[in-house]
Amino acid sequence: MTWSLQTAPELSDLQFEQWNKLLEARTGIQVAPHQRSFLQIQLSRRMRELGIKHYAQYYGQVSSGVQGMVEWSILVDRLVVKETSFFRHRDSIEFVRRFLQNRINNQDLSDSFDVWSLGCATGEEPYSLAMVINDCFELAGLEPYYGITATDISQPALQFARHGVYGQRKLEPIAPDEQSRYFKTLAGEREGYQVIDKLRDRVCFSHGNVLKVSDMPKVKMDIIFCQNVLIYFRRWRRREILNELATRLKPGGILMIGLGEMVDWTHPNLQRVADERVQAYVCV
């Protein structure tokens, strides 16, 4: 029987702990005990492709050397969670709309409106933000002067996001009028629906590890959107990440996280927004 047809070897307690430590050290992400089978499946699939039979041998390959880092980038793309959707949490996206609309109404936009989407995966979140932001500028009859930086650890996901092509099912959360204004229909080999150029041109997709957010350029933002990201980290690391993100806000800027992702976090320069539909903090 060939290796490709054999049942995946069981991941021992020691091996699970070893791989979990490597993943956390390099990405900050923890694999919970109930996700053990997921880790085992992803490791064994990649090992089959390489013709490697033992977890220890594969661990040695990915944990050292330049070639190991190349292999790690392939593996980590399979291990990080990329589940996302357009307008995944509509209340948070609509909060951004109201925030920008108030800025425009109060003539409080003296510079570019800058947004950062962390853990952007395949692009649905930053494109959702781009839609409501563009709406605000067009409604006010203003030239759209904004930019969205979207970061993720997965290079293949970023490549997918840059193309901005999605199937019909992906567009289901998007209102019909939003679909007609912000997507064009493709035919042929790339059949699907593509985000229109004027939106794609406003989103810069870049590789970024949330664990190393302090190493990223210190650009001040009006909105930092960090939802459904922190849940994969230990609580002390969540605090470190949030404290660092707080330093990247413009005065009056907003930091948004997922509801309940960090309920007891406070920062001397930030104040919780009084809106039970979202978990947002304003830089005061």
Side-chain angles (χ1 to χ4, degrees), residues 84-97 100 115 117 120 122-136 146 148 150 166 170-171 173-175 178 181-183 195 199-200 203 205 225 227:
T84 186
S85 62
F86 287 103
F87 297 94
R88 183 173 182 179
H89 189 240
R90 175 69 83 155
D91 285 339
S92 295
I93 302 290
E94 292 300 328
F95 180 91
V96 173
R97 187 198 300 272
L100 176 55
V115 179
S117 167
C120 66
T122 45
E124 290 89 334
E125 178 179 282
Y127 286 135
S128 298
L129 290 165
M131 288 182 224
V132 300
I133 292 170
N134 193 77
D135 281 351
C136 291
Y146 72 93
I148 299 175
Y166 304 90
K170 273 288 187 180
L171 270 61
I174 305 174
E178 292 170 329
R181 287 185 293 117
Y182 292 125
F183 289 85
V195 179
L199 246 58
R200 289 168 55 219
V203 185
F205 290 98
F225 211 88
Q227 293 201 320

Side-chain angles (χ1 to χ4, degrees), residues 11 15 18 45 56 70 83 110 121 132-133 154 196 231 239:
L11 200 63
Q15 289 168 334
Q18 185 181 43
R45 281 177 179 172
V70 173
E83 179 184 349
S110 58
V132 300
I133 292 170
S154 170
I196 59 174
I231 55 174
R239 293 180 184 277

Side-chain angles (χ1 to χ4, degrees), residues 10-19 36:
E10 286 294 321
L11 200 63
S12 69
D13 292 344
L14 182 61
Q15 289 168 334
F16 174 71
E17 185 65 23
Q18 185 181 43
W19 280 99
R36 181 171 178 157

